[in-house]
Every structure is written in structure tokens, then in C-alpha cells.
């Protein structure tokens, strides 16, 4: 599997500000995803990051709040905009392997605290 | 949509066997995955089932019955390092996760 890295690993932010999280894969991958994991809960898919087109958002998530970029096949960013304490969470990116099993591999996550 | 249920917590003794059940109701199905997640770390892939039956991978095995909407993950010869959260996830090309089962292994 390819190596996936995410940064920052953690951050503490003030309400009303924005944070951009970067996700880098060391080889080209077709599909990348962004998830949120709130404290003590499981992973919820935010959106699918599509290369060369707008991201596909899941119900409850909107582009104005979580703009996503996917400029090429190895890189994506997620911005958490106009943050509030409710946005405190772990944000994870993943990519879909090219194998037949369609396994998703995850980055280590970004632990965000909003004060 | 997807509805995925698994127990919240399980405790077992080192060297023992633990079975984590997962039931699901989904609008689409392209496979069932199990991930392991240690506290503060990324989920790591454990196993994948798309056809009915048992898949064995060392100390870990996973079973699927599509007609029953049921899967289990079997952890054998438990070690302290197996203490983690185990996530059941159903794929319809996107992954939907259950809430996770926290397994605590005691000496």
C-alpha cells in the first residue's frame, strides 16, 4: 500500500478561524476521502475528493463549511471554516487502493480543538 | 442508507478468544471490512469479506452471511496489544462505519 501522510497532526484554534488540513499520498490514487471522528464515536464520511472537479459531499456536510481541493492524484486538502467548539474532532483522510478489494487506507488524522 | 450495529465493549483474558459481532442493514453492498484502531491512531485494515464464508488471516478471522446481514471478527490467542477499538464497515463503494467495539485484554 502507498504511504499516506497528513498534517498538521494536531492544532488548537480559536472560534471563527479556519484551518486547512493537508493529505499527501506517495503514489497516484484515484479516490480520496475525508472523514470526521468525533470524541468517542466512529468515523463519518464528509466527502469524496474528486480530482479535477468539485468534491461530493455527504448529507449534513456542505462546501461552504468544508471546502475541499484535489489538485492532482496525490494530494488533497480539507478546510474547516469559521470554526466553533462543535468542530472539535479528529479529521482523517483516506485513499482507495487500486486492488480488487477496494481497501481504504487512512492517514494518522488531525486532532482539532476549537476554543 | 446504512444501519450497522456492533457491541460497545468487550473484555477478555490474554490467550483467550473473542468474537465481535456486526449486523447491518444496507441499501447497497460491495463488501464488509474490519478495521482496528488503537487510541489516537489511524484505523488499520484487518480483513475483507464480499462472499459468504470465513476468511482466515493468522490470529484474525472474519465471517460473512449476506442473507442474514451478519458478520463477525474472531480474535484468537489474544495479546495485550490487541486492546483496541474494532470497527465494522460496509462498503457500497463508500464506507459506512459502525460505532466500534472497544476490546480490553486483561492479563
Amino acid at each position: 500500500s502507498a504511504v499516506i501522510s497528513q498534517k498538521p497532526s494536531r492544532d488548537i484554534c480559536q472560534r471563527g478561524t479556519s484551518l486547512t488540513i493537508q493529505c499527501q499520498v506517495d503514489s497516484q490514487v484515484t479516490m480520496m476521502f475525508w472523514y470526521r471522528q468525533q470524541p468517542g464515536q466512529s468515523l463519518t464520511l464528509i466527502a469524496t475528493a474528486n480530482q479535477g472537479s468539485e468534491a461530493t459531499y455527504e448529507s449534513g456536510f456542505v462546501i461552504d463549511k468544508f471546502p475541499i481541493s484535489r489538485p492532482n492524484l496525490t494530494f488533497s486538502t480539507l478546510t474547516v471554516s469559521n470554526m466553533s467548539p462543535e468542530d472539535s474532532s479528529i479529521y482523517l483522510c483516506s485513499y482507495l487502493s487500486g486492488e480488487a478489494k477496494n481497501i481504504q487506507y487512512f492517514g494518522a488524522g488531525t486532532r482539532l480543538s476549537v476554543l | 442508507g446504512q444501519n450497522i450495529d456492533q457491541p460497545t465493549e468487550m473484555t477478555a483474558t490474554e490467550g483467550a478468544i473473542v468474537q465481535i459481532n456486526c449486523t447491518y442493514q444496507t441499501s447497497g453492498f460491495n463488501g464488509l471490512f474490519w478495521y482496528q484502531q488503537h487510541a489516537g491512531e489511524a484505523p488499520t485494515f484487518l480483513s475483507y469479506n464480499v462472499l459468504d464464508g470465513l476468511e482466515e488471516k493468522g490470529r484474525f478471522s472474519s465471517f460473512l452471511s449476506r442473507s442474514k446481514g451478519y458478520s463477525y471478527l474472531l480474535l484468537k490467542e489474544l495479546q495485550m496489544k490487541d486492546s483496541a477499538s474494532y470497527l465494522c464497515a460496509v462498503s457500497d463503494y463508500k464506507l459506512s462505519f459502525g460505532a466500534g467495539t472497544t476490546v480490553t485484554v486483561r492479563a
Side-chain angles (χ1 to χ4, degrees), chain A residues 31 33 35 37 40-43 45 48 58 92 100-109 111, chain B residues 30 33 35 37 39-45 48 55 87 91 93-100:
Chain A
M31 299 183 75
F33 305 88
Y35 290 83
Q37 187 172 28
Q41 298 187 28
S42 193
L43 284 76
L45 180 63
T48 303
E58 298 301 303
L92 300 108
K101 293 181 179 180
N102 287 324
I103 299 167
Q104 284 191 33
Y105 295 95
F106 287 84
R111 187 178 296 269
Chain B
N30 191 46
F33 294 80
Y35 283 83
Q37 187 177 28
E41 299 183 11
T44 56
F45 168 74
Y48 166 78
E55 292 282 340
L87 309 174
S91 172
Y93 296 102
K94 296 181 296 186
L95 282 180
S96 296
F97 284 86

Side-chain angles (χ1 to χ4, degrees), chain A residues 83-105:
Chain A
M83 288 183 284
S84 67
E86 292 71 35
D87 295 320
S88 297
S89 188
I90 299 172
Y91 293 86
L92 300 108
C93 68
S94 72
Y95 72 89
L96 190 65
S97 74
E99 307 162 6
K101 293 181 179 180
N102 287 324
I103 299 167
Q104 284 191 33
Y105 295 95

Side-chain angles (χ1 to χ4, degrees), chain B residues 8 18 25-26 29 32 37 45 54 69 80 85 89 94-95 103:
Chain B
T8 305
V18 69
Q25 295 174 315
T26 63
F29 184 84
L32 188 138
Q37 187 177 28
F45 168 74
L54 188 68
M80 299 300 287
S85 180
K94 296 181 296 186
L95 282 180
V103 172

Side-chain angles (χ1 to χ4, degrees), chain B residues 22-101:
Chain B
C22 173
T23 58
Y24 63 90
Q25 295 174 315
T26 63
S27 56
F29 184 84
N30 191 46
L32 188 138
F33 294 80
W34 285 94
Y35 283 83
Q36 180 191 59
Q37 187 177 28
H38 285 100
E41 299 183 11
T44 56
F45 168 74
L46 284 180
S47 71
Y48 166 78
N49 295 73
V50 65
L51 300 176
D52 290 354
L54 188 68
E55 292 282 340
E56 297 188 85
K57 199 175 180 182
R59 294 189 298 115
F60 295 170
S61 303
S62 58
F63 172 83
L64 175 67
S65 169
R66 288 172 296 169
S67 62
K68 295 181 180 178
Y70 169 69
S71 174
Y72 68 72
L73 178 70
L74 195 68
L75 314 179
K76 293 178 278 190
E77 301 171 15
L78 279 172
Q79 302 175 9
M80 299 300 287
K81 67 179 182 179
D82 297 329
S83 292
S85 180
Y86 292 85
L87 309 174
C88 173
V90 175
S91 172
D92 61 354
Y93 296 102
K94 296 181 296 186
L95 282 180
S96 296
F97 284 86
T101 299

